[in-house]
Amino acid sequence: MTSPLLPASESRRPVIITGLSGGGLSTAAKVFEDKGYFVSQNLPPQLILDLVEMSTADDSPVDHLAVVTDVRARMFNGSLMETIEAIEAKGLSPFILFLDARDEVLIRRFDSVRRTHPLQGNDTLKEGIERERKEIAPVRERADLIIDTTHLSVHDLRRSIEASVGDLSAPKQHVTVESFGFKHGTPRDADLVLDVRFLPNPFWIPELREFRGIDAPVADYVLSQPGAKAFVDNFLTMLKDMLKGYRHEGKDFITVGIGCTGGHHRSVAISEEIVRRLRESDDVDVNVLHRDLERN
């Protein structure tokens, strides 16, 4: 069996996958299933609690549980927040993964499969999405990790989940550094967004244009520019202080967005350097994503 997404020390921690309809819940469920989880989808709140209790029993055949639930569960008694609180009352800490996306993207996804939104009724699809956002806002606020799937393909979402959660370990905080291009929009799931467009753009140097920030010629060029290393030094000093505050507030998953114009050169090189430096610390689990590396 494939090794589980969560290590043995966290094997009894239930995972709740939720978010907006059309946000990629089925894809997320498949990721966890492929990693050896027992995955159950579309359970009403009370049955989620029952399943968690059964999976944590001493004689349970299930070591790793993930439950997918969305707004359709509202037809049953009890809310998802009440279920989360009931799980916590039993001494367990559910890991909440919330998938989000921009309205226009959700509308396009629903239109492509010719489905109606579960809260649409006789109104427009946009109104159904707005109702859902309002209804699940408390769960979003409670989430351990929010992933914005607006710009992610199915394969990108899989990589994002595995990068963000793949090395989950209770004693550590988890930092995902994500490079991006401002022309493609900022990542809405980022806790911090940094702009490195103050550095000279390698795109305008013909011999560097076809390389990317993961390639040595571009990385060396970017990091040799005045202010580049000082920027990294100052940010890491600030981040380490912020991580202490995040930990105090119970936030163990932090996403840092590093942006340049297209997401090919400067943001990638700076992200790689920040990740390299962060990995020197034993207190932080670090992953890197390059959202727009292959985009034109």
Side-chain angles (χ1 to χ4, degrees):
M1 178 179 291
T2 306
S3 60
L5 197 58
L6 305 183
S9 62
E10 292 282 279
S11 64
R12 293 292 182 175
R13 188 180 187 188
V15 175
I16 296 178
I17 304 167
T18 190
L20 291 167
S21 302
L25 303 187
S26 296
T27 298
K30 182 61 176 173
V31 174
F32 280 85
E33 193 172 69
D34 290 346
K35 294 296 182 180
Y37 274 71
F38 178 86
V39 178
S40 182
Q41 301 196 47
N42 299 327
L43 286 181
Q46 180 58 48
L47 290 184
I48 294 176
L49 181 58
D50 292 343
L51 184 57
V52 168
E53 289 179 335
M54 289 189 292
S55 70
T56 55
D58 291 338
D59 59 350
S60 171
V62 175
D63 287 329
H64 315 291
L65 173 68
V67 177
V68 184
T69 184
D70 60 24
V71 75
R72 287 172 290 180
R74 67 194 286 272
M75 297 182 293
F76 298 88
N77 290 330
S79 69
L80 181 54
M81 278 304 302
E82 290 172 341
T83 301
I84 293 170
E85 290 166 359
I87 294 172
E88 291 174 333
K90 294 183 178 297
L92 296 170
S93 178
F95 176 82
I96 316 297
L97 171 62
F98 190 100
L99 302 182
D100 201 346
R102 295 184 185 275
D103 286 1
E104 62 271 20
V105 172
L106 294 172
I107 291 171
R108 187 164 63 246
R109 290 173 183 173
F110 272 97
D111 284 343
S112 69
V113 295
R114 299 185 178 182
R115 289 172 49 206
T116 59
H117 190 279
L119 297 188
Q120 182 175 345
N122 295 322
D123 298 316
T124 65
L125 178 55
K126 184 172 178 58
E127 288 173 310
I129 294 171
E130 289 173 353
R131 290 191 188 109
E132 184 177 26
R133 283 196 187 281
K134 183 177 180 180
E135 191 159 316
I136 63 176
V139 180
R140 191 183 193 280
E141 289 295 318
R142 168 63 179 79
D144 293 280
L145 179 65
I146 300 171
I147 295 179
D148 182 2
T149 69
T150 297
H151 299 290
L152 303 182
S153 67
V154 170
H155 302 296
D156 291 334
L157 176 55
R158 170 179 286 273
R159 285 190 287 269
S160 181
I161 293 172
E162 290 179 338
S164 298
V165 191
D167 295 321
L168 182 62
S169 176
K172 292 187 177 182
Q173 285 179 288
H174 310 275
V175 178
T176 297
V177 180
E178 178 179 4
S179 70
F180 69 93
F182 276 99
K183 74 175 186 179
H184 301 299
T186 58
R188 293 198 305 162
D189 51 357
D191 300 289
L192 303 169
V193 174
L194 306 179
D195 186 348
V196 296
R197 289 176 294 185
F198 69 92
L199 295 171
N201 192 349
F203 178 84
W204 301 113
I205 300 177
E207 57 268 29
L208 295 179
R209 182 173 299 173
E210 298 306 316
F211 289 101
R212 295 292 184 260
I214 56 175
D215 299 315
V218 170
D220 292 343
Y221 173 83
V222 171
L223 293 172
S224 68
Q225 297 305 307
K229 290 188 176 179
F231 173 82
V232 172
D233 290 341
N234 292 334
F235 170 69
L236 288 172
T237 298
M238 179 185 75
L239 179 63
K240 288 175 182 177
D241 288 336
M242 295 180 72
L243 289 176
K244 296 174 185 176
Y246 280 136
R247 171 56 64 88
H248 183 265
E249 295 299 317
K251 183 175 178 60
D252 287 332
F253 291 81
I254 298 93
T255 299
V256 179
I258 312 287
C260 62
T261 303
H264 293 164
H265 300 103
R266 292 165 291 180
S267 62
V268 175
I270 294 295
S271 294
E272 289 284 337
E273 178 63 13
I274 288 173
V275 167
R276 184 189 70 79
R277 297 271 298 275
L278 283 174
R279 283 178 175 160
E280 295 173 356
S281 171
D282 294 330
D283 298 329
V284 182
D285 175 53
V286 189
N287 297 287
V288 63
L289 292 171
H290 300 304
R291 191 191 74 181
D292 300 324
L293 189 65
E294 303 301 328
R295 297 180 70 172
N296 295 323

